[in-house]
Structure formats: structure tokens, C-alpha cells
Amino acid sequence: AQSVTQLDSQVPVFEEAPVELRCNYSSSVSVYLFWYVQYPNQGLQLLLKYLSGSTLVKGINGFEAEFNKSQTSFHLRKPSVHISDTAEYFCAVLPAHQAGTALIFGKGTTLSVSS
Amino acid sequence: DVKVTQSSRYLVKRTGEKVFLECVQDMDHENMFWYRQDPGLGLRLIYFSYDVKMKEKGDIPEGYSVSREKKERFSLILESASTNQTSMYLCASSTPTGAGQYFGPGTRLTVT
């Protein structure tokens, strides 16, 4: 079975500072990895995904993530955050051989950006 | 632009009522999902469907049922709403090759 751990439930940062949201996963099979963002009172929007190939994945809004197979991690980074990045962020995993099934989500990290 | 729509953004129901949450996608996706989102618990899968009239239980199906009569529409039914079903409900869809799901805006249900 797969599982996802988001290591920080809340991350407060100042505007223009860099940020890293940490995600570790557990799986005995190959997986696809995802980051979603949820703005207040909205659904989830896909930020980026890793399916195969380059381990550094670039997404929307200046975010990127690096897949590290040896450490089973998929941390999300942004070099300079804006107030508008305040949201909840979810890491998710999907077994590659079950690509059409449901995602397994972490419990989320709330990013709060202040001026 | 791809779209998953949900019939209501906010819903208030009384204990014991039968509640229908509707989800429609316009991407011709085979797979559709219902999740429940609660603070500190993330998203938990209630049911999913991989074809018309086909359904599979997720992690927390108790107290819920689903219906999929048409490919584009997936309904979540609370047969007798209870206060512990107060939550945010999110619908999603994907192709069988998966590689990501598209989410609707969510329905925030309050049961009083």
C-alpha cells in the first residue's frame, strides 16, 4: 500500500522569501507524484506532476519539485513567494500500474505568506 | 478549457434528509471520484466509478451511495444525512491512464 506524509502542517513565510514544502511517500512499486493547490473555498488545482524522465519538474506559478527516489521524497519549492500563494498544498501519489485509480493524498500543508 | 462542475457550492440540510450531490464533467473521462475533505485529514476517497453503472467503494463509503447513469455525471447520495457528514465534498475525473485528476470546485455541506 502507498502512503504520503507531508512533514509540515503549517508553513509561515514572509513575502519574497523562498519556501519548501516537504513531502515523503511510501511505496513498493513505481509511482506518479503530484502537487495540488487549493485556494480558499475552491477546488484543487494541479500545480505539477512527475510521471517519468527528468526528476526536476516545473509547474505553474513558478513552483518546481524534485523527485528523489532514494529518499522517497517530492518536495515543492518556490524561490520567491507572493501573498497570493497563500493556500493549502496537497501532495499525492498514484501507483503507476494503476494510473486510473484514486490518488492517495497527504494531509496538506497550509502556506501563509505575510508582508 | 476542461471542466468539472458540481451542482451546489454551499448546501445546508437537516439531519435525516436525503441529500444528492451532483457532479458533471465535459472531458469524456471514464473515471470519476468523490472525495471528502476535512481539516487535518486531507482528502479521503468515498467512492469511484470507472464506467457507467460501475462503482467501487473507497476508504469511507459508510453512509453514502453513488449513481452513474451517464458517463458525464456522477452523483453522491447521503441516504439519511447526519451531522458527522458535515464536510467539503470534492468530485474529480480522469482518463483510465490516469496521470492526474481534474477537480470540481467542491460542495460545502452543513448538516444541522
Side-chain angles (χ1 to χ4, degrees):
Chain A
Q2 290 72 36
S3 65
V4 178
T5 302
Q6 292 184 241
L7 296 159
D8 306 291
S9 59
Q10 298 193 16
V11 174
V13 294
F14 287 108
E15 195 173 20
E16 298 182 6
V19 71
E20 178 179 79
L21 305 184
R22 298 179 295 165
C23 173
N24 284 7
Y25 70 93
S26 172
S27 177
S28 58
V29 299
S30 295
V31 294
Y32 298 154
L33 294 155
F34 306 84
W35 276 99
Y36 283 85
V37 60
Q38 184 180 36
Y39 299 105
N41 298 314
Q42 294 188 27
L44 273 67
Q45 180 182 2
L46 181 66
L47 269 179
L48 49 80
K49 61 185 175 185
Y50 171 79
L51 304 182
S52 64
S54 173
T55 57
L56 183 63
V57 181
K58 293 191 182 298
I60 61 171
N61 301 342
F63 284 94
E64 64 181 31
E66 185 155 21
F67 170 56
N68 188 319
K69 188 174 182 179
S70 62
Q71 297 189 7
T72 60
S73 68
F74 190 54
H75 301 333
L76 181 71
R77 301 186 184 100
K78 187 170 182 178
S80 175
V81 295
H82 303 291
I83 298 284
S84 59
D85 292 322
T86 294
E88 190 156 21
Y89 292 79
F90 291 95
C91 182
V93 66
L94 181 65
H97 69 286
Q98 297 179 303
T101 60
L103 294 170
I104 299 156
F105 285 89
K107 293 185 178 180
T109 297
T110 300
L111 175 64
S112 300
V113 183
S114 57
S115 57
Chain B
D1 196 16
V2 297
K3 264 218 165 117
V4 179
T5 57
Q6 295 183 228
S7 51
S8 304
R9 294 298 305 276
Y10 300 93
L11 210 52
V12 180
K13 295 292 182 181
R14 293 195 180 276
T15 302
E17 278 193 82
K18 191 169 185 176
V19 181
F20 292 87
L21 304 183
E22 305 284 340
C23 175
V24 177
Q25 51 95 3
D26 66 358
M27 296 166 282
D28 202 34
H29 283 169
E30 288 80 359
N31 297 357
M32 297 187 73
F33 308 84
W34 276 107
Y35 294 90
R36 171 176 170 161
Q37 182 184 10
D38 298 290
L41 297 179
L43 278 76
R44 294 178 291 168
L45 180 68
I46 305 172
Y47 269 97
F48 74 96
S49 168
Y50 51 90
D51 201 352
V52 174
K53 297 190 186 295
M54 306 300 284
K55 61 186 179 184
E56 293 282 344
K57 291 181 180 180
D59 300 319
I60 51 165
E62 297 79 17
Y64 303 94
S65 62
V66 290
S67 172
R68 192 163 180 207
E69 297 295 321
K70 293 186 177 181
K71 189 177 184 180
E72 67 271 17
R73 188 180 298 269
F74 191 34
S75 302
L76 181 69
I77 303 155
L78 287 66
E79 296 289 341
S80 177
S82 64
T83 54
N84 62 13
Q85 293 178 310
T86 291
S87 187
M88 170 74 101
Y89 291 88
L90 291 161
C91 175
S93 72
S94 78
T95 65
T97 55
Q101 295 175 5
Y102 295 88
F103 282 81
T107 296
R108 188 168 293 282
L109 172 67
T110 302
V111 183
T112 61

